[in-house]
Structure formats: structure tokens, C-alpha cells
Amino acid sequence: MQISRFTPRRFLPDIIDLTDVDQLAPIFDQLSTKLDAISSVADLEAWLADYSEVSAALGESSSLTYIAMTCQTDDEAKEKAYMHLVEVVDPWLKPRQFALMQKLSMCPFFGQLPEFYSIYRRSVATQVKIYREENVARETAIARLTQQYQKISGSMTVQFDGKEQTLARMGRIQEEPDRARREAAWKTVVERRMQDADKLDDIFDQLLVLRNEIAHAAGFSDFRAYTFANYERFDYTPEDCLRFHEAVEHNVVPLVRELQRERKAKLGVDTLRPWDLAVDPDHNPPLHPFEASTELLEKSHQIFSALDSRLGDYYHVLRLQELVDLDNRKGKAPGGYQSTLSEARVPFIFMNAVGVHRDVETMLHEAGHAFHALASREQPIHAYRSAPIEFCEVASMGMELLAAPFLRMFYSDTDAKRAQRDHLEGIIKFFPWMATVDAFQHWIYTHPGHTRDERKACWLSLMDRFGGIEDWSGFEQARASMWHRQLHIFEIPFYYVEYGIAQLGALQLWQAARRDLPATLDNYLKGLSLGGSRPLPELFQTSGLAFDFTDKTIAPLMRNVKDALLELAS
Ligand SMILES: [Zn+2]
């Protein structure tokens, strides 16, 4: 990795250990004293520049520590450095950062800042408004409970094929052609899950109590209203989400069920069962896009350059500065992510490439996030160099779709079509599940004091409303507690609809690109360059996308997806 600061430091010393709270203390004291002495809007703007510099430097320090740890989890020193950040530095920083925000919001010049700061101002005001000292202990209790959830669900294993296996490994069996084997594996997993179902319901009941208390303490009527404020969802309401669910029910669910009927016919089964949903109905072998990760890097580069020379140049920066760690190797953390080094204002891509199609998807997705970081690097304040998640995922999911027609860099014509078809099918299957998970939480948090049976009944009615045609008979209990496996419901309540909103933006990009690719990429980059400096509807609009989750937007998108699926099948 070869990085240097995007601009020289003006406030922070050039050499300082940002993981040492003794060195950080005088910095925060100075920021606080300076804030007290502000006597004009210009003073305040200068203070915001200083604070932004500190935030960026702290952000980068934390990203670098995290990257180092995930790239080498078997290095004790790196793990220790990361734990020091989580256990010492962050808890030290949080109250100090909040105290500054509180002081900032009371500064007489805060309200007079130019329009440019309006989004930032709105964010600070909300954070200050909903903060309650007494909720800190409740948040800690919640963190403890979600850790228990993680522990219970993460440690589930089963005996299968004569050995102990994780549920993740068992999931792979669902892709195998042997139906009896899939069924046996599926039943084994479901039985294992049922053993802990009561325990997970207990945890959830405790979470509910705490979350309702937090909402009331912060002055909200219920936890849903609190969460909308806490997530800074200023540009859409709970009612918009409910309408989104309806639009999914009317426009997406029928399409998913149609695809399932096709699957049933192809598999030649009388009834589609839950263990028939992941196998490739044409029994194709897995796609094999590349051998070495250098090939993944090179071919991805060709795709981005073919799409737009600016994207090719961005990707060149990643390669030149070695801002990628792609190879799967022993000691590396699983998965893939993109992180931003906020002082150098460059992205970093982490993944575990092994030569499967999923690696290509991850690369295209994370590169979309990386382009976002590069396109918004000129934004003057740190807070504006990242966007709300609803739009960040447009950058990444949109890139997956924009790049899809170029998959022939990796595949034969037939395989490229198959990859695109799987991709589109995956996207439409996601919407009903998203609606189920989201609608469930809307009900939960607006029905305080509900019983477990009522909760179960609500979930089952949503499964009927949004679910597929597969037959669950004999497994009714398992179906009723399917939500236990969606970690968001336990750990990050209500955080899921964002992906649905973003996917609608991504599909609109895909649709626009089929008409005019250069103009679409132009708009895409224009929207990305705004970072988080404008409200969501404006970010969407600048990229040429409607910020709308009703029939009006979804119906034509689904018609186009259906047509494209037909085209790709031929
Ligand atoms: Zn993402």
C-alpha cells in the first residue's frame, strides 16, 4: 500500500499516535476551547475544517488497523492493536465527540452557516436531539444480548457425512444435484436450528424491552420512530416503506413465483420443496472465471476501461498504489469489503478470491464503492465524503449491473448469459425477502406488548404474502421461526430496507444504460461525486434516478427484468 495525505495537515501535528488517548486528549481540549471562542461564521467554518481533519485522520487510523488485522488474523500484535481501538480508543472518543457536537449545535453561529452545510447541520442536530445519557447502559446491554445471539447462531454445527459441519458448509449441499441428499441435509439443519429456537426468542424478547425503553427515554412514541431519526432517514417515512412492501407484493412476488414454477418444471418434481430452491435447475457445473487473482485484476480493469475511461483511471489508481488484497490465504479474515483511507482519500479493497463467480461479483461490487470514494474525494469536509447507505449501495450494486454486459471478458457467451441471468434472478428474489423482514419489524415495534404467538402469526402471514410456492408441510414450526436466521432483526433493527431502495436505483441505472451507456455513466459519476453533501432524493436525481419505491417505478423495472430474463434464456 502506497498512500500519502490528500492535503497536508493544518491542525494536527504531523507526527502523532492517534491510537494513544494521552496524545489525543490535548487535541480534543484544543478543539473544545476553540469552539468556545468562536465569534463569527468564518471562525466556525475554520473550526469545522479542523474537526474534519481530525475526523479523517482518526478514520484512516482506524481503517488501517482494521485492514491490518483482517489481512493477517493470526498475527497477535495486529489483533491486539485492533482490540485496543475497540476497547480503549473508541469508548474514549465517543463521549468527547458527542460533547463537541452538543457544543457545536449550541454555538450561535451554527444556524448561520451557509447552505452548503445544511445536511451536516441536520445530522448534528438530530444526533444531539436523540442522545440520552441513560440510554448508554441500555445500548451496552443490547450489545451483550446480540453477542449472545451471535454466539448461539455462530456455534451451531451438525453431524453430517460422518463429521461435524458448520451450517455455512451445509448450505453448499443445497446446490448439489442429488435431491435426497439435499433433503437430508436441509432437515438436519432445520432440526438443529429448532433446538435453539426458544433461546433466540428469549433473547429477542429482552431486546424488545430495551429498545422500547430507549425510544421512550429519547422522547419518541415507539422504537420505529426513534430508529428513523437515529438512522437519519429524513427523506422517507415508515408509510413509504409500507407502500414499498405493497409494490413488491404486486410487482415482484408474481414474477418470483413464476420463476419457481419454471424451476419446478425443469427439476421435474411434483412439488417444489424448501430443499429445491438453491440447486441449478439446469445442472450446470459452477462457473470458472479465472485462475489467479492477477487475472481477476486485469480483466476487471479491462471491463472498467471499456465502460468509461474515468473508471479505468480510477482502477489504475487502485492497482498502482496497491490498494487491493485479493488472494485467499491462511490467516486472512473471510469475506470481502471496501474501506476508505480517509486522509489519503483513497479506497482499499479486501477479498478472498478463489476463482469462483462470486469473486467477480464481489470485485465489481466493491469497485463500485471504491469509485464512490474516489469520485467524492474533492468534497471539502470529511462528513461529506461518504453518502447514506441507500445511495452507497447504488454505486456498488449499480456497478455490478453496469458491468454485467461485459462479463464476456471472463466467460464464453453462454456462460456470460447464465451469469447475468442468475444475477437478475437473485436481485428479484431479494425484494420479497426484504419486504418480509422489513414489514415484520414495522409490526413488531408498533405492537409493543405482543405475545410470542402473535409474533409468530404475524411472521407466517408475511410468509404467505411474500413467500414462494414451495411446500413447507411437515416443517411448520421451522417456517414460523425462519426470521431467527436474519441477523439484522437481532443486531441492526430496521436496517435492511436500504438495500431494497438501493437496488431500485441500481436497476434504474441498468435500464438507463441499455438506452444510453455513456450518458448513464456520466450521471452515475456526477451523483457519486456529491458524496453525502446533498439529501438522498437529490443524489438519486443527479444520477438520473427516481427516488421512489412505488408501483410507478417498480412495475416498469420488473417488466424489463422479465424481458431481459427471456432474452438471456434464448
Ligand atoms: Zn456494498
Side-chain angles (χ1 to χ4, degrees):
M1 205 188 289
Q2 296 165 16
I3 54 167
S4 53
R5 288 173 197 145
F6 187 76
T7 52
R9 286 179 179 170
R10 293 176 322 139
F11 175 71
L12 273 177
D14 261 321
I15 295 169
I16 177 173
D17 180 356
L18 296 164
T19 63
D20 178 359
V21 295
D22 291 335
Q23 294 186 47
L24 286 173
I27 301 294
F28 275 80
D29 289 346
Q30 215 182 326
L31 281 169
S32 183
T33 322
K34 269 182 108 174
L35 192 49
D36 287 330
I38 277 164
S39 61
S40 67
V41 171
D43 269 2
L44 185 56
E45 283 194 78
W47 184 88
L48 286 171
D50 291 343
Y51 186 62
S52 166
E53 185 185 300
V54 174
S55 306
L58 286 169
E60 179 164 310
S61 152
S62 141
S63 299
L64 287 172
T65 313
Y66 180 73
I67 291 168
M69 192 257 305
T70 52
C71 284
Q72 221 176 330
T73 54
D74 46 8
D75 183 325
E76 238 172 85
K78 286 176 178 157
E79 192 190 333
K80 241 175 121 181
Y82 180 71
M83 288 321 288
H84 173 73
L85 212 65
V86 174
E87 284 166 358
V88 180
V89 185
D90 282 348
W92 185 92
L93 276 173
K94 272 199 189 121
R96 278 159 186 85
Q97 285 166 329
F98 181 75
L100 286 177
M101 290 304 102
Q102 205 162 26
K103 211 179 245 191
L104 172 64
S105 71
M106 289 183 310
C107 168
F109 301 97
F110 185 62
Q112 296 170 35
L113 283 168
E115 158 68 16
F116 173 76
Y117 294 96
S118 61
I119 298 294
Y120 183 66
R121 227 167 37 205
R122 187 171 73 167
S123 164
V124 169
T126 308
Q127 286 172 44
V128 171
K129 186 184 148 212
I130 68 170
Y131 180 82
R132 295 291 182 283
E133 186 81 51
E134 59 168 302
N135 278 340
V136 175
R138 294 190 179 108
E139 294 289 359
T140 312
I142 286 182
R144 235 175 271 128
L145 284 166
T146 57
Q147 211 171 359
Q148 275 183 42
Y149 166 78
Q150 276 177 14
K151 217 169 158 185
I152 293 172
S153 40
S155 62
M156 285 187 203
T157 58
V158 292
Q159 283 292 327
F160 200 79
D161 279 343
K163 55 177 186 257
E164 189 181 13
Q165 311 227 37
T166 63
L167 301 196
R169 281 194 86 85
M170 290 297 288
R172 301 297 299 270
I173 299 177
Q174 292 307 306
E175 296 167 23
E176 293 181 13
D178 182 344
R179 194 181 192 209
R181 191 171 144 76
R182 287 203 307 271
E183 179 177 350
W186 190 88
K187 283 182 182 163
T188 308
V189 169
V190 156
E191 277 159 21
R192 177 63 192 86
R193 283 190 188 278
M194 289 315 292
Q195 283 172 24
D196 283 328
D198 281 341
K199 257 192 253 170
L200 294 181
D201 263 308
D202 284 341
I203 291 179
F204 194 71
D205 283 336
Q206 296 176 59
L207 284 169
L208 270 183
V209 171
L210 286 162
R211 284 179 180 151
N212 288 330
E213 284 175 6
I214 285 180
H216 292 146
F220 289 86
S221 58
D222 57 54
F223 185 71
R224 179 175 72 172
Y226 168 82
T227 304
F228 270 65
N230 187 27
Y231 290 178
E232 304 189 4
R233 291 181 178 176
F234 301 118
D235 305 298
Y236 59 99
T237 62
E239 290 66 38
D240 289 327
C241 294
L242 299 179
R243 272 193 291 274
F244 189 8
H245 308 154
E246 273 171 34
V248 169
E249 180 184 5
H250 297 142
N251 300 288
V252 191
V253 172
L255 187 51
V256 174
R257 290 182 181 162
E258 198 180 315
L259 288 169
Q260 284 196 328
R261 279 189 288 271
E262 240 174 68
R263 160 179 289 272
K264 182 179 142 219
K266 276 188 181 173
L267 289 173
V269 295
D270 293 334
T271 336
L272 202 63
R273 306 293 321 248
W275 48 87
D276 294 324
L277 304 180
V279 62
D280 184 309
D282 299 310
H283 299 309
N284 285 310
L287 292 167
H288 184 58
F290 59 89
E291 290 294 332
S293 68
T294 45
E295 203 183 330
L296 172 64
L297 207 57
E298 183 53 41
K299 287 184 174 167
S300 306
H301 201 166
Q302 285 169 18
I303 291 183
F304 296 131
S305 300
L307 271 171
D308 189 298
S309 65
R310 288 166 290 181
L311 297 180
D313 292 347
Y314 281 157
Y315 203 72
H316 184 69
V317 172
L318 284 173
R319 293 183 72 178
L320 197 71
Q321 295 182 229
E322 296 164 17
L323 300 166
V324 288
D325 189 326
L326 305 185
D327 280 309
N328 173 256
R329 60 172 181 271
K330 192 171 166 284
K332 204 170 162 183
Y337 64 79
Q338 181 269 334
S339 169
T340 302
L341 305 171
S342 39
E343 214 177 7
R345 303 193 196 175
V346 290
F348 175 83
I349 294 179
F350 173 98
M351 57 188 282
N352 280 281
V354 289
V356 296
H357 180 63
R358 178 96 200 105
D359 299 334
V360 176
E361 291 174 340
T362 304
M363 175 54 92
L364 298 174
H365 183 97
E366 304 306 341
H369 286 310
F371 298 153
H372 205 172
L374 288 168
S376 60
R377 70 200 301 221
E378 302 281 350
Q379 285 294 335
I381 59 171
H382 175 61
Y384 282 178
R385 291 196 289 272
S386 57
I389 184 84
E390 292 89 341
F391 192 66
C392 286
E393 292 297 323
V394 173
S396 55
M397 293 171 171
M399 187 42 64
E400 289 182 58
L401 281 162
L402 291 170
F406 296 83
L407 283 173
R408 268 166 306 165
M409 300 276 189
F410 286 101
Y411 300 119
S412 67
D413 252 7
T414 323
D415 280 353
K417 277 186 176 174
R418 179 179 146 205
Q420 283 190 71
R421 202 184 142 87
D422 287 353
H423 183 196
L424 287 175
E425 280 196 21
I427 290 174
I428 58 169
K429 276 192 247 165
F430 170 74
F431 283 108
W433 179 250
M434 178 283 297
T436 312
V437 169
D438 197 49
F440 184 52
Q441 297 186 87
H442 279 261
W443 183 89
I444 283 177
Y445 294 106
T446 50
H447 292 77
H450 63 255
T451 66
R452 266 184 212 191
D453 280 341
E454 285 166 335
R455 186 157 76 216
K456 206 175 265 182
C458 166
W459 174 257
L460 286 171
S461 77
L462 290 167
M463 288 285 286
D464 288 339
R465 185 177 165 203
F466 296 108
I469 60 162
E470 77 275 14
D471 176 5
W472 282 76
S473 36
F475 304 100
E476 287 76 10
Q477 284 306 317
R479 187 171 182 245
S481 28
M482 261 247 292
W483 59 275
H484 285 170
R485 65 176 82 168
Q486 189 65 51
L487 79 98
H488 298 72
I489 298 175
F490 286 80
E491 294 183 21
I492 4 180
F494 283 106
Y495 183 86
Y496 212 52
V497 72
E498 285 89 342
Y499 290 96
I501 295 172
Q503 196 62 268
L504 289 180
L507 282 171
Q508 291 181 69
L509 274 177
W510 166 78
Q511 189 173 254
R514 281 152 65 96
R515 286 192 301 268
D516 186 345
L517 181 63
T520 305
L521 284 159
D522 233 28
N523 290 335
Y524 171 80
L525 284 169
K526 252 184 234 152
L528 264 51
S529 73
L530 293 175
S533 66
R534 302 304 307 152
L536 266 179
E538 205 177 313
L539 298 178
F540 271 67
Q541 200 181 26
T542 307
S543 285
L545 315 170
F547 186 71
D548 169 78
F549 351 126
T550 64
D551 286 335
K552 199 175 111 208
T553 302
I554 300 181
L557 281 177
M558 287 306 131
R559 275 197 298 274
N560 282 334
V561 169
K562 199 175 163 182
D563 290 346
L565 285 172
L566 278 172
E567 262 170 54
L568 292 164
S570 58

